[in-house]
Amino acid sequence: LKKDINKNKKTILDIGSGSGENSLFLAKNNPNALIIACEIFQDGNINLYNNLLKSKINNIKLFTGNVVKLFDQLKLDYCFNEVWVLFPDPWPKNRHHKRRLIKSNFFKKIYPFLKSESKIFISTDSVSYLNSILNSIYNIKSLFRWQNDRPQNWIYEKQNLPQTKFFKKAKDSYRPSFFIELVKIS
């Protein structure tokens, strides 16, 4: 992937890309950008790969490992213009909260990989996880500016966003989905 990342070209990282709905959405809306779909589960990667073949989209690269391993492999500063994390595993049990991806440490780890004024987009349908994310945002307020900091702007359905499998599950279960947009402070 190192050779594919060009500091002058728009590069978008889709963490936990699942079956690829968001990666495909991003690729279609950003045809000149490189989309890196990062997913550890093989089934999701196979589904995305099959959709790429069918749709003849060629601006998506798959990384089939943990995002931390991607960062270790890149060792480049200022790679990404956007980072998307839609519906990460909420790890609902208290004893598993340490496994949650979106924490203050995540923001500190990703910060050097973001270009100036880069954006991070996060969504969740877990109120518990949302509270944890909001706490993390408070802890890293010197690194990122919260773009849509009013609750009426958090509504996933009011944004131009993909209808992912997890969004549909939340909707079918009458759970609201929240959407957060952060901007890197340089």
Side-chain angles (χ1 to χ4, degrees), residues 137-166:
I137 290 171
Y138 178 78
N139 290 332
I140 51 93
K141 62 184 173 198
S142 64
L143 302 177
F144 294 93
R145 181 177 67 251
W146 190 0
Q147 197 71 4
N148 64 333
D149 61 352
R150 303 243 186 266
Q152 64 269 23
N153 298 329
W154 302 351
I155 302 168
Y156 189 93
E157 293 167 299
K158 289 190 174 184
Q159 315 294 326
N160 179 25
L161 299 168
Q163 305 282 310
T164 68
K165 176 174 85 174
F166 290 104

Side-chain angles (χ1 to χ4, degrees), residues 95-124:
R95 70 177 185 263
H96 294 149
H97 284 189
K98 63 183 176 259
R99 297 180 185 173
R100 288 178 169 174
L101 175 66
I102 308 297
K103 301 185 271 194
S104 299
N105 287 344
F106 167 78
F107 291 113
K108 291 173 187 170
K109 179 87 172 167
I110 203 166
Y111 186 85
F113 292 93
L114 299 173
K115 295 177 184 175
S116 180
E117 296 293 312
S118 289
K119 293 184 177 184
I120 297 178
F121 302 98
I122 303 166
S123 68
T124 185

